[in-house]
């Protein structure tokens, strides 16, 4: 069976002033459907750059990225945005919730971008919030939530589109250890339910929850 994620010889270069930065150097990576993979590495190893490419937030300088068999390496920004809205759910370390919106409005938002009917969007969002344990907090604003609750809301938002792939960028980085363990248990439950997850972390204890761990150094997968 073809992998859900198939990265072949991917490089990424940035120009900072007069300096050329080689962030990724010929990365090869495959992730099977239903797998839970952690990517570890020190700051500057390239793991966040790789996650941005996997999440269609950036494109490789060279190489190919196949998502569910489709080569999306050379798509323009509009096409990448459509793939993000339909196929990829991303959970950020800083939650990225809109402060003026309620929890429910934040989770509904990806479905609004898809053009879903209001009643369907609300029903799906409420179901996801119940799943992550926030069924009683739907009308609260992010500032009224704890850090763990904000991350649960961010996870519900990532899941509401029923994504092919869930990406998590240091999802416990802004949480205390006890709350972080609760979030990791939630990711474990998602994986047990068949969700494909790729998580970036610098913490071996966090990575231990996943099925497989790859390490990055100097822009390469070791």
């Amino acid at each position: 069976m073809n992998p859900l994620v198939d990265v072949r010889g991917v490089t990424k270069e940035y120009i900072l002033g007069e300096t050329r930065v080689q962030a990724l150097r010929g990365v090869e990576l495959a992730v099977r459907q239903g797998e839970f993979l952690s990517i570890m590495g020190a700051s500057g190893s390239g793991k966040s750059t790789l996650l941005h490419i996997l999440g269609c937030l950036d494109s490789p300088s060279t190489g190919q990225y196949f998502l569910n068999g489709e080569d999306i390496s050379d798509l323009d920004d509009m096409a990448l945005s459509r793939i993000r809205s339909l196929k990829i759910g991303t959970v950020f370390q800083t939650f990225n919730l809109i402060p003026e919106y309620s929890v429910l409005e934040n989770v509904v938002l990806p479905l609004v971008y898809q053009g879903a009917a209001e009643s369907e969007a609300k029903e799906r969002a409420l179901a996801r919030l119940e799943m992550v344990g926030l069924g009683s907090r739907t009308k609260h604003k992010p500032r009224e939530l704890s850090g763990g609750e904000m991350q649960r809301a961010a996870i519900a938002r990532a899941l509401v589109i029923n994504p092919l792939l869930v990406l998590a960028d240091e999802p416990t980085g802004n949480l205390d250890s006890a709350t972080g363990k609760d979030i990791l248990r939630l990711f474990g439950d998602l994986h047990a339910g068949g969700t494909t997850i790729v998580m970036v972390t610098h913490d071996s204890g966090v990575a231990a929850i996943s099925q497989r761990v790859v390490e990055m150094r100097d822009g390469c997968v070791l």
Side-chain angles (χ1 to χ4, degrees), residues 12 14 23-24 39-58 90 92-93 167-170 198-202 216 219:
K12 184 64 183 181
Y14 297 102
L24 297 177
I39 302 173
M40 290 192 65
S43 178
S45 62
K47 61 186 189 299
S48 292
T49 300
L50 177 57
L51 198 75
H52 286 166
I53 289 174
L54 296 183
C56 296
L57 295 167
D58 205 350
T90 303
F92 299 94
Q93 178 179 348
L167 303 176
D169 189 1
E170 300 279 6
V198 176
M199 178 172 64
V200 159
T201 181
H202 68 280
M216 292 194 69

Side-chain angles (χ1 to χ4, degrees), residues 63-93:
Q64 292 176 291
Y65 170 27
F66 293 86
L67 179 63
N68 201 30
E70 178 186 359
D71 187 353
I72 61 174
S73 314
D74 298 320
L75 297 183
D76 61 25
D77 288 344
M78 185 173 294
L80 290 176
S81 177
R82 180 163 178 78
I83 288 174
R84 286 198 306 271
S85 71
L86 294 174
K87 299 181 179 181
I88 301 170
T90 303
V91 180
F92 299 94
Q93 178 179 348

Side-chain angles (χ1 to χ4, degrees), residues 25-213:
R25 305 169 184 268
V27 169
E28 305 274 343
L29 182 69
V31 183
R32 300 185 304 277
Q33 187 164 352
E35 186 174 12
F36 188 171
L37 172 74
S38 285
I39 302 173
M40 290 192 65
S43 178
S45 62
K47 61 186 189 299
S48 292
T49 300
L50 177 57
L51 198 75
H52 286 166
I53 289 174
L54 296 183
C56 296
L57 295 167
D58 205 350
S59 298
S61 298
T62 61
Q64 292 176 291
Y65 170 27
F66 293 86
L67 179 63
N68 201 30
E70 178 186 359
D71 187 353
I72 61 174
S73 314
D74 298 320
L75 297 183
D76 61 25
D77 288 344
M78 185 173 294
L80 290 176
S81 177
R82 180 163 178 78
I83 288 174
R84 286 198 306 271
S85 71
L86 294 174
K87 299 181 179 181
I88 301 170
T90 303
V91 180
F92 299 94
Q93 178 179 348
T94 53
F95 318 131
N96 286 10
L97 300 173
I98 298 175
E100 297 82 8
Y101 285 11
S102 69
V103 168
L104 179 59
E105 289 167 336
N106 269 281
V107 176
V108 162
L109 199 57
L111 298 176
V112 172
Y113 292 149
Q114 286 186 4
E118 183 179 351
S119 58
E120 178 194 355
K122 185 175 180 181
E123 181 180 349
R124 286 171 61 178
L126 286 170
R128 289 304 191 183
L129 284 165
E130 287 285 353
M131 189 185 78
V132 300
L134 289 180
S136 64
R137 308 285 274 170
T138 59
K139 296 181 181 179
H140 289 71
K141 299 288 180 65
R143 65 176 177 274
E144 299 172 305
L145 305 181
S146 68
E149 287 172 332
M150 284 193 283
Q151 194 59 293
R152 286 176 180 273
I155 292 169
R157 181 184 57 192
L159 295 174
V160 76
I161 63 169
N162 299 322
L164 285 174
L165 175 66
V166 170
L167 303 176
D169 189 1
E170 300 279 6
T172 63
N174 282 344
L175 305 175
D176 62 72
S177 58
T179 305
K181 288 178 181 177
D182 288 340
I183 294 300
L184 291 178
R185 279 192 288 270
L186 178 55
F187 275 108
D189 291 343
L190 293 174
H191 172 235
T195 302
T196 307
I197 303 170
V198 176
M199 178 172 64
V200 159
T201 181
H202 68 280
D203 187 332
S204 59
V206 171
I209 192 175
S210 58
Q211 278 180 303
R212 181 164 65 104
V213 180

